[in-house]
Amino acid sequence: YYADWTQEYKQQIPSWFPVDNAREQFMATYPFHPMVMSVFERKWQTLPRFQRTRGVLRLLALWVSYAYQSGFKGALKDPLIMLGSAPLEDPFFRTAVLEQLGESRLEGCITTDIIGKNDSHALRLDKESVDTIKKSSLHQKIAKSIFFESNGGQTRNEATIPEIKLAVSDPNIDISNVDTVLDNLEQSCYFLSVENKRFKFGLHPNLNKLLSDRRASIKTEQIKELIKNEVQSAFASGNGVDRVFFPENSNQIADRPSITFVILSPEQSIKDETKVYQTISEMTQNCGKSARSFKSALIWIVADSDAILYDEARKVIAWESVKLEEDELKLDDSQKRQLSESVKRSRRDLKESIWRT
């Protein structure tokens, strides 16, 4: 079953895995997936605190015990014990893992990004995903696999995409979803670093964490100002059409035979349909205290909702705030490149969100 899967996808898994002898590999490590055993041999055995016999046996014993209990309760349905099913949510198992790694500070990384809290990122992403990903808890499985592959290696402390795909090689999982899940984790996790498609969970917060901290401190007035400036910029180009931005009174819209775009403030969105139509009707019928003569000259432009605009504008302000402090933050070259790309992308996303809304 699993051996046939490795044959089918041998171009996408690590070249060192003996595909021709895959059946023997799976039988030799049963009930564990071969990647569980090989991660200790390939990476963890070089750790100063790693106990190759007693330490591994204790970990595996806890792992089997948890898997047995979960299987008995119907919570675990995987035919093999895989890296992705590691019970990192269990404090005793998590402590045993961190003892072998010799780094207790990684607990914050686990509980924030993988599992251990109700709002852990991988856990939340699974809950919000489509059924095919949600049912397999694929965000959690991939995040756990990355954690084991990227902590312990003294020469190569990272997880490659082929390693990740082999680690979650359940034939019931659509392998094309792996790339989607990796993108989601990269955009959401606080302690996951990614460079050249190599993934690592570590101690240092990434740009996502810096972004989150900045977003929380941004004032609503800043957001409103940026949105209005960007909306004006979006509708500024082109000749032959007059423009009136964010009118509050009907006399701000001239009554003349000239095609005019009247752009309402984003807060006056169509979600408040009754109030917006009442405003449009009143300003179309009247110009100040007089009846409007050229009603059909007005073309009203109204947002579907201001929620997306607010979110994108907040992101722009946050990224630019981080950019201003990149020297003080002591970012590495990879993070600086990522930051520059994020600033550009956030600006582009804000412009696109104006047209979408």
Side-chain angles (χ1 to χ4, degrees), residues 4 7 25 29 41 60 71-72 90 124 126 133 167-168 171 202 216 230 235 249 251 266 293 315 351:
D4 292 342
Q7 285 283 352
Q25 286 288 317
T29 60
E41 297 171 0
L60 298 183
F72 185 76
D90 180 71
R124 175 183 58 79
D126 277 333
I133 293 176
V168 297
E230 289 297 326
F235 287 96
N249 303 299
N251 58 9
S293 299
K315 197 180 295 181
K351 284 181 171 61

Side-chain angles (χ1 to χ4, degrees), residues 122 125-126 129 133 137-144 181 184-185:
L125 288 168
D126 277 333
S129 293
I133 293 176
S137 301
L138 194 54
H139 287 92
Q140 295 170 67
K141 287 181 176 179
I142 288 178
K144 289 176 181 179
V181 168
N184 294 341
L185 291 171

